[in-house]
Amino acid sequence: MNMCQAINEALSIAMNNDDKALIFGEDVAFGGVFRCTLDLRSKFGPDRVFDTPLCEQGIVGFANGVAAHGHSPIAEIQFADYIFPAYDQIVNETAKIRYRSGGIFDVGNLTIRSPCSHVGHGALYHSQSVEAHFSHTPGLKIVVPRSAAQAKGLLLSSISDQNPVLFFEPKILYRSSVEQVPDVEYKIPLSKAEIIKPGKDITVIGYGPQIYVLENAIQLIERDLPGASCELIDLRTILPWDIDTVVNSVNKTGRVVISHEASITSGFGAEISSTITERCFDFLQSPVKRICGTDIPFPLVFEKFHVPDIARCYEGIKFCLEY
Amino acid sequence: MPPVISKLQFLSFRERIPMYRAMDLNGEIIDEVNIPAFPKEKVQEIYKNMLTVNIMDQILYETQRQGRISFYMTSFGEEATIGTALALDKGDIVYSQYREVIVFLERGFSVEQMMHQCFSNVADFGKGRQMPIHYGSKDLGLMTISSPLTTQVPQAAGTAYALKREGKGKCVLCFFGEGAASEGDFHAGLNFAAERGCPVIFYCRNNGYAISTPSTSQYKGDGIASRGEGYGIKTVRVDGNDVWAVYMATKMAREYAVENNQPVLIEAMTYRVSNHSTSDDSTSYRSNKEVEDWTKRDNPVARLRRYMESNDMWSNELEADAIKLIRKRVLDALTAADKMKKPKIDEMYSDVYDHLPKNLEEQREETRKLISKYPDYYKINEFES
């Protein structure tokens, strides 16, 4: 099963579990431009799975209103690049409704799904990784899955979580991530990182599709530097993030590389890096290294020089190990 | 497909949308079909609520001037907005902008509760987190007010859609000013509500000013009402200083919205007698004379009073008694609210999420340590312990 199908299954389970769950956004009724909502309209009816006018601030504003009345909107923004018209609704409204009302109103049932990250030829507006823009906003949760099975479990957790969740789906994995996905309902906890590969010499942290780049780079490092052992951590939840797992790992290894596709300056890597510096200072044996997108808009023809590819990750890990 | 023409021409301007009025400036009912069916006691109560808001506004405005509360916004000149609340059912939900305090009062949000909110004390439902006048009550169906303009408009459409799915015949009433109607969320909300068929009444208070910006700098069309038709929304313009016109229009809108699961747009023409807020001196962009002329010529409170007097419902004696009682209630509530402590300092961290995440637990601990080290500096005695 690929990630699209896993997401489709998760949505189907959520709609079955809760009569008040609604799916809406641009072009979701016929199955979605990435086919994630395929057949859901015929299963659950046109009043529960429907297209909206083409207006992102409207989609999130409408969703806030649905959720404030205790129903469960699962809204879709067609590309993460186009979430910015809804930035005000998300940052000033979604994130703050519970707090500002003293807890009498909330939009905890809201989930916003959106395809994110590079796809090979998406250029400026079909490639962005926008998580850091939202990670500066208390009240939100932000999740990025790396595979089909993970997407299903994390999406079901996001939908049932009693806080608003931004669920960013790496679109390059929609069809390329194919794996066994249990056909039952299961959940993967939020705010919990996963140690994919234990190691002792260096901690390597990433999330989403960057995990595969890091896996490959680590394989090459361990081949070229005999005895080197890398610990790979998938963060999974960007906000609130799993500080303990990261800090425990770095205190053990003494070295760390953080990698994400989004631009380096004020990217989420900066947050991880400064937390590590504060909490692991006595154990660090090399500088905290960030390997990220460059500080340019996401370009078309130069994509492979912009993204943190295997070569850059290899170089960065090697630099820390040999420091 | 539209009808086809062979003569090339721009759409011609049509006549201005007329304004519905039930009661003239002297409080006389213009046409017998417009007589509101309220008993004398209810009419007196409506009028007393107008007086209450006026008196509370005067007192809290002064309280802000003395620095005892941080901010305030009055509703002078827009008291007839109470007519909307009279037309609602229990179970209908109201989204406000911030100058609709009279609707809160009519729906049962007490003067005492307003004082608690303005003084940010321990009895404030909002736990002292928002600026004064950002009221809210779940039990009364009054969504908590937020400062960002117009964000409530698409939200109202979403809540109305949820109400429609529940099938209990309830609707949403959503307020905004004519300035707010220039925001993108106005477009989003009206279009979504029409397309999805949502039982929501969009109520625009067109009071002529958005802070210093006159409505002539806000739009070039025929006000806000002219936009309704473009979205396929039933629309009516009313005299916003005429409480009976506001009531009748909202009543008709409510019936239509609930029966047809469709939105309605009401544009209420009024005048903002108030300064925009306590942070604004409106004489720097409009003359005192303009304000005085408006107040003399047409004021919703005076108009209802004339109606009551000509129908033997009110007198100078009743007026004097009512003012005395209301002043006492407001001052008592103010004194009580002022004496109460602020909420527990720990409350600054709750309700960000449903549960406290670990980073907030750590930060709460840091705050606790700091205030125990420097209790005088942080004046912790002002807060509930």
Side-chain angles (χ1 to χ4, degrees):
Chain A
M1 184 181 288
N2 66 29
M3 192 190 271
C4 274
Q5 292 161 326
I7 287 167
N8 186 274
E9 257 197 29
L11 293 172
S12 197
I13 291 168
M15 292 288 274
N16 261 323
N17 286 349
D18 178 6
D19 283 345
K20 290 180 170 177
L22 306 175
I23 291 173
F24 53 85
E26 294 157 13
D27 307 300
V28 300
F30 87 113
V33 295
F34 289 108
R35 316 313 285 155
C36 287
T37 53
L38 199 66
D39 296 331
L40 296 178
R41 187 179 175 93
S42 58
K43 268 192 221 169
F44 300 104
D47 67 325
R48 295 187 62 200
V49 180
F50 53 87
D51 289 336
T52 65
L54 204 167
C55 179
E56 286 76 15
Q57 65 190 98
I59 293 170
V60 178
F62 188 88
N64 278 333
V66 169
H69 194 57
H71 292 229
S72 313
I74 306 166
E76 179 177 312
I77 299 294
Q78 202 160 72
F79 287 87
D81 312 66
Y82 305 128
I83 203 166
F84 296 111
Y87 197 75
D88 182 45
Q89 282 285 349
I90 295 171
V91 170
N92 277 330
E93 297 291 317
T94 305
K96 297 176 174 56
I97 287 175
R98 191 197 305 266
Y99 188 75
R100 74 180 184 217
S101 70
I104 61 177
F105 292 103
D106 70 79
V107 294
N109 291 332
L110 169 62
T111 308
I112 300 173
R113 297 175 40 244
S114 189
C116 71
S117 305
H118 83 290
V119 69
H121 50 268
L124 285 81
Y125 306 113
H126 298 82
S127 306
Q128 291 182 55
S129 299
V130 303
E131 61 279 357
H133 291 276
F134 295 96
S135 67
H136 198 53
T137 302
L140 299 177
K141 292 194 176 184
I142 305 171
V143 177
V144 186
R146 74 159 190 277
S147 73
Q150 214 193 45
K152 182 175 171 183
L154 285 171
L155 181 54
L156 283 167
S157 291
S158 300
I159 291 170
S160 62
D161 192 272
Q162 284 307 295
N163 299 282
V165 180
L166 301 180
F167 192 81
F168 291 118
E169 302 164 1
K171 57 183 149 331
I172 198 163
L173 303 177
Y174 272 149
R175 308 210 179 281
S176 64
S177 168
V178 178
E179 63 185 351
Q180 287 288 333
V181 177
D183 64 357
V184 293
E185 178 175 357
Y186 64 93
K187 285 177 185 162
I188 297 173
L190 304 187
S191 294
K192 194 85 199 92
E194 180 188 3
I195 300 171
I196 298 174
K197 176 191 172 303
K200 56 180 179 35
D201 300 322
I202 187 166
T203 302
V204 178
I205 305 165
Y207 49 88
Q210 194 59 19
I211 291 294
Y212 301 102
V213 177
L214 294 169
E215 268 181 337
N216 286 326
I218 286 170
Q219 262 185 18
L220 296 174
I221 286 282
E222 292 185 349
R223 182 197 69 189
D224 295 350
L225 303 176
S229 150
C230 307
E231 179 147 303
L232 178 60
I233 296 180
D234 178 359
L235 206 56
R236 299 199 296 204
T237 299
I238 309 299
L239 194 72
W241 65 290
D242 184 357
I243 295 175
D244 288 350
T245 298
V246 168
V247 166
N248 288 340
S249 173
V250 177
N251 281 346
K252 179 181 73 179
T253 62
R255 298 171 202 269
V256 61
V257 157
I258 306 154
S259 182
H260 56 61
E261 252 180 67
S263 293
I264 187 164
T265 300
S266 298
F268 198 68
E271 178 59 35
I272 303 173
S273 166
S274 66
T275 303
I276 289 171
T277 311
E278 277 178 358
R279 302 193 186 204
C280 311
F281 188 73
D282 290 342
F283 298 89
L284 285 174
Q285 293 169 48
S286 74
V288 177
K289 183 85 185 154
R290 289 178 290 154
I291 308 161
C292 306
T294 60
D295 285 336
I296 59 171
F298 204 108
L300 181 66
V301 75
F302 307 116
E303 177 172 311
K304 67 176 170 181
F305 305 106
H306 164 63
V307 298
D309 63 357
I310 296 175
R312 281 176 60 201
C313 291
Y314 179 92
E315 280 292 301
I317 296 169
K318 195 157 174 277
F319 166 85
C320 287
L321 283 170
E322 291 175 345
Y323 186 82
Chain B
M1 283 292 284
V4 172
I5 53 171
S6 59
K7 186 185 171 206
L8 181 62
Q9 59 187 27
F10 289 120
L11 204 60
S12 60
F13 286 106
R14 42 178 195 164
E15 286 172 29
R16 287 197 70 187
I17 297 170
M19 178 173 84
Y20 166 71
R21 177 178 280 168
M23 166 169 71
D24 70 18
L25 302 190
N26 296 316
E28 302 289 335
I29 297 293
I30 299 166
D31 185 324
E32 301 223 328
V33 298
N34 294 322
I35 295 176
F38 290 113
K40 178 179 166 181
E41 292 71 26
K42 182 66 190 173
V43 177
Q44 288 172 336
E45 186 198 305
I46 294 164
Y47 181 73
K48 282 183 204 164
N49 276 344
M50 288 184 174
L51 290 181
T52 303
V53 167
N54 283 175
I55 289 167
M56 191 175 64
D57 277 358
Q58 281 160 10
I59 290 172
L60 283 176
Y61 192 86
E62 290 306 318
T63 307
Q64 193 282 332
R65 283 289 173 255
Q66 295 159 8
R68 292 162 72 197
I69 60 173
S70 57
F71 179 78
Y72 197 68
M73 290 176 119
T74 61
S75 321
F76 297 119
E78 300 185 46
E79 298 85 352
T81 310
I82 194 172
T84 58
L86 301 170
L88 293 187
D89 262 28
K90 210 171 174 233
D92 290 344
I93 290 171
V94 179
Y95 276 88
S96 307
Q97 179 165 308
Y98 47 57
R99 216 181 293 282
E100 298 89 4
V101 57
I102 198 152
V103 172
F104 277 69
L105 197 65
E106 176 60 33
R107 278 176 82 87
F109 198 86
S110 69
V111 168
E112 288 73 18
Q113 202 55 50
M114 290 177 197
M115 293 294 170
H116 296 320
Q117 202 279 337
C118 287
F119 278 89
S120 313
N121 69 28
V122 69
D124 169 22
F125 296 150
K127 304 182 186 172
R129 291 166 184 157
Q130 288 214 90
M131 286 171 81
I133 64 110
H134 290 58
Y135 308 127
S137 164
K138 188 156 195 168
D139 296 341
L140 301 171
L142 298 161
M143 295 296 303
T144 299
I145 292 168
S146 73
S147 305
L149 286 182
T150 333
T151 48
Q152 76 277 17
V153 174
Q155 292 171 8
T159 296
Y161 188 71
L163 286 174
K164 171 168 122 175
R165 291 206 67 227
E166 288 173 359
K168 294 177 190 156
K170 302 299 175 193
C171 72
V172 174
L173 172 63
C174 177
F175 290 103
F176 50 93
E178 89 287 348
S182 296
E183 292 280 3
D185 272 334
F186 167 86
H187 162 67
L190 270 71
N191 197 33
F192 273 58
E195 193 284 327
R196 265 291 104 198
C198 304
V200 49
I201 304 162
F202 294 114
Y203 187 96
C204 178
R205 297 177 292 97
N206 190 339
N207 63 18
Y209 286 93
I211 308 187
S212 72
T213 307
S215 58
T216 48
S217 302
Q218 202 66 245
Y219 50 74
K220 286 292 169 241
D222 182 10
I224 308 304
S226 66
R227 301 177 196 170
E229 191 181 297
Y231 292 108
I233 294 180
K234 292 270 187 261
T235 301
V236 58
R237 172 176 280 160
V238 302
D239 181 342
N241 286 358
D242 174 355
V243 63
W244 302 137
V246 170
Y247 164 71
M248 302 286 260
T250 312
K251 190 161 166 278
M252 183 173 81
R254 191 190 180 282
E255 278 164 15
Y256 181 84
V258 169
E259 275 169 26
N260 300 282
N261 281 319
Q262 288 296 328
V264 177
L265 173 62
I266 300 175
E267 182 185 26
M269 309 307 289
T270 180
Y271 184 82
R272 195 194 78 209
V273 175
S274 312
N275 282 329
H276 166 67
S277 73
T278 46
S279 310
D280 171 54
D281 171 13
S282 71
T283 57
S284 61
Y285 51 82
R286 64 180 182 183
S287 67
N288 273 332
K289 188 171 179 309
E290 178 188 318
V291 180
E292 278 164 23
D293 286 352
W294 256 100
T295 318
K296 268 186 215 147
R297 187 170 76 241
D298 185 15
N299 175 286
V301 186
R303 225 201 281 193
L304 180 59
R305 183 172 173 183
R306 286 180 202 128
Y307 168 85
M308 291 166 75
E309 283 169 348
S310 54
N311 288 281
D312 294 326
M313 294 177 174
W314 203 246
S315 64
N316 287 339
E317 293 74 47
L318 285 174
E319 176 92 2
D321 288 351
I323 287 174
K324 210 169 128 191
L325 273 173
I326 294 166
R327 271 190 71 84
K328 183 173 178 343
R329 181 178 179 196
V330 170
L331 287 169
D332 286 353
L334 185 141
T335 311
D338 196 12
K339 277 187 190 149
M340 289 168 79
K341 290 202 168 190
K342 309 291 178 212
K344 275 185 174 176
I345 297 169
D346 274 357
E347 292 286 9
M348 70 182 273
Y349 290 110
S350 58
D351 303 320
V352 178
Y353 295 93
D354 61 339
H355 296 105
L356 214 57
K358 200 155 177 214
N359 59 321
L360 289 188
E361 265 178 39
E362 289 173 4
Q363 289 166 29
R364 185 180 66 184
E365 205 44 49
E366 243 180 87
T367 306
R368 283 176 180 172
K369 275 189 193 149
L370 202 65
I371 60 180
S372 67
K373 203 168 169 188
Y374 305 108
D376 297 339
Y377 174 77
Y378 286 110
K379 298 182 184 165
I380 57 168
N381 288 337
E382 293 177 5
F383 295 86
E384 191 86 339
S385 54

